[in-house]
Amino acid sequence: MTGQNVLKIAGLKVSYGGIKAVKGVDLEVNQGELVTLIGANGAGKTTTLKAITGTLPPCTVEGTIDYMGASLKGATSFQLVERKLAMVPEGRGVFTRMTIEENLLMGAYTRDDKAGVAADIEKWYSVFPRLKERCAAMAGTLSGGEQQMLAMARALMSHPKLLLLDEPSMGLAPIMVEKIFEVIRDVSKQGITILLVEQNAKLALEAAHRGYVMDSGSIIMGGNAADMLHDPRVKAAYLGE
Ligand code: ATP
């Protein structure tokens, strides 16, 4: 870890009509870090990610969001891919009417190193053998867990500098959750910077370097993830202990 900022959010506010979903959030993710944003349903975590990727109407967003030292304001989804920022949204977002292999190729559409792309596809097939078995099937026919695998592999095909993950464990069987988290830890060890939004606070804090707790639109706590796992307030409110 070099400590250099990859993502720096300051004073972020988002309103949906009269609802203030995010109320002045400051958050940083440094080079090589795995940072998790935890919190209950409706705390504003997904809205924060949507603000980063520019999927909210600009007039509803206040504050600054800098990525690799430059603002993300007004960036189109194509520009985000070019700038090496990838997101796996809640609900996966795979192209259901394309095959698994086509989905993986879509993840690499800004790359022109054909041999490297082919090698990466083989690499992801070896990480997730189920995707190889079903490589010619439509992505929409995969189970939720398999779609999560595909969505992660597709995002990583773009060789992102920052990977945003929204609730990767949601709705998955425990064995699948374990596998997805194993991959998240591996990807982090390879040096990819990650911002992980999760409701499963225990798993997320166990995997992360640092964490933030969000509650009713505000960050109410932040720090070293291992310390947070032992914090009595985190234990009581988010770990069910
Ligand atoms: P979840 O885990 O359920 O996704 P979250 O922490 O990601 O929760 P958000 O989805 O960001 O929370 O929601 C924050 C607040 O904004 C909630 O009160 C939610 O009801 C509200 N909200 C989210 N999306 C919209 C929308 N499109 N229109 C109006 N209100 C919304």
Side-chain angles (χ1 to χ4, degrees):
M1 250 179 280
T2 65
Q4 184 202 342
N5 267 164
V6 170
L7 181 71
K8 188 174 168 69
I9 297 177
L12 179 69
K13 293 183 188 168
V14 183
S15 300
Y16 296 108
I19 301 168
K20 291 189 166 81
V22 177
K23 303 172 186 165
V25 158
D26 298 330
L27 181 153
E28 289 179 19
V29 185
N30 298 317
Q31 180 75 50
E33 272 191 318
L34 198 182
V35 172
T36 188
L37 179 60
I38 59 172
N41 241 330
K45 307 181 298 298
T46 298
T47 302
T48 302
L49 287 187
K50 284 184 176 166
I52 298 169
T53 54
T55 42
L56 296 168
C59 63
T60 64
V61 181
E62 281 178 53
T64 58
I65 303 176
D66 291 335
Y67 165 69
M68 308 291 292
S71 173
L72 277 179
K73 219 165 236 166
T76 61
S77 39
F78 180 74
Q79 286 165 339
L80 294 184
V81 179
E82 277 192 327
R83 289 171 70 177
K84 303 262 171 217
L85 193 159
M87 161 123 166
V88 179
E90 204 173 343
R92 343 292 181 212
V94 298
F95 301 116
T96 52
R97 290 165 157 231
M98 287 179 151
T99 67
I100 283 136
E101 189 129 333
E102 285 164 349
N103 266 270
L104 293 172
L105 285 167
M106 283 301 284
Y109 79 95
T110 55
R111 292 173 56 185
D112 50 20
D113 56 326
K114 272 194 168 174
V117 169
D120 275 356
I121 288 181
E122 279 314 311
K123 180 183 90 181
W124 287 112
Y125 281 160
S126 69
V127 175
F128 298 125
R130 184 70 183 142
L131 295 184
K132 179 157 191 156
E133 281 166 39
R134 310 230 27 223
C135 62
M138 293 293 153
T141 66
L142 295 175
S143 73
E146 291 163 353
Q147 288 194 25
Q148 183 66 54
M149 293 173 183
L150 178 58
M152 279 191 58
R154 189 186 64 188
L156 288 159
M157 287 293 298
S158 67
H159 287 178
K161 290 203 165 91
L162 175 64
L163 178 65
L164 306 175
L165 297 171
D166 195 1
E167 305 268 6
S169 77
M170 193 170 62
L172 302 189
I175 184 141
M176 213 56 114
V177 173
E178 233 170 76
K179 178 72 187 172
I180 292 291
F181 267 81
E182 188 186 306
V183 172
I184 293 171
R185 281 192 295 265
D186 274 359
V187 168
S188 169
K189 277 191 197 130
Q190 286 162 31
I192 295 177
T193 308
I194 301 174
L195 177 59
L196 165 67
V197 160
E198 253 300 336
Q199 273 193 52
N200 189 328
K202 184 165 190 291
L203 270 179
L205 287 172
E206 279 171 356
H209 300 111
R210 280 192 307 115
Y212 291 95
V213 179
M214 195 164 189
D215 184 28
S216 306
S218 303
I219 301 287
I220 56 164
M221 193 191 300
N224 179 287
D227 294 342
M228 287 172 71
L229 268 175
H230 298 107
D231 186 294
R233 292 166 298 172
V234 175
K235 277 183 168 181
Y238 302 101
L239 304 180
E241 291 176 23

